[in-house]
Amino acid sequence: MDSFWVIVLFILFAIFSDKKGGKKPVPKRRTPDLPQRPLPDIAPPRREKIEIPELRGAPPLPNVMTTPQVQERDAILAEQQRYQEMMRRKKRQERTAVPQEKQNVAAQTRQPAIGLNTLQQAVIWSEILGKPRAYRKK
């Protein structure tokens, strides 16, 4: 029990001494209020145009394209690519359109039904176009 009171007294002492013995606040520094002076007028430096003499025997200037020239060239290339793509599509459509036309023609022509008359005609045509029966080996 003695140690309990010693601990309690120590805690109370620490609390009260902390409140009284705390650090003093540091006052803020005051900066002097200086009047605002206008900035002096400084003249921009003069830039004189320097003429560069032409060099004899120098390599030719490179062909440099300006931005509008590059944009114009890109527009022309894009239009050419669109035209080529359009022509490719047209050729593909023509290739696929021809078989469809042939299919339509085949569907429109009817094959005759096999009957007695068509069989007789087949025998006659086989005699006309083929070897005669007399020459055939049996």
Side-chain angles (χ1 to χ4, degrees), residues 1-16:
M1 188 78 169
D2 286 334
S3 61
F4 174 74
W5 287 111
V6 171
I7 294 172
V8 171
L9 285 174
F10 179 74
I11 292 173
L12 289 174
F13 178 73
I15 291 172
F16 284 117

Side-chain angles (χ1 to χ4, degrees), residues 52-110:
I52 301 174
E54 186 176 329
L55 298 175
R56 293 182 187 166
L61 292 174
N63 187 10
V64 179
M65 297 177 72
T66 60
T67 304
Q69 290 172 337
V70 171
Q71 290 173 346
E72 182 180 345
R73 184 194 64 193
D74 291 345
I76 291 170
L77 288 174
E79 191 169 332
Q80 288 175 348
Q81 288 175 350
R82 282 194 302 268
Y83 179 74
Q84 289 174 354
E85 183 62 31
M86 181 185 69
M87 294 305 290
R88 282 188 211 115
R89 284 189 202 141
K90 191 173 181 181
K91 285 182 182 178
R92 278 189 223 131
Q93 288 175 353
E94 288 174 0
R95 287 182 200 149
T96 58
V98 171
Q100 289 176 354
E101 290 175 1
K102 287 182 181 177
Q103 289 174 357
N104 291 341
V105 170
Q108 289 174 356
T109 59
R110 285 187 172 179

Side-chain angles (χ1 to χ4, degrees), residues 26-34:
V26 178
K28 290 183 180 178
R29 283 188 170 183
R30 289 190 63 207
T31 55
D33 294 332
L34 298 175

Side-chain angles (χ1 to χ4, degrees), residues 122-135:
V123 170
I124 294 171
W125 280 110
S126 68
E127 286 290 327
I128 293 172
L129 298 175
K131 289 185 177 179
R133 274 192 189 166
Y135 294 124

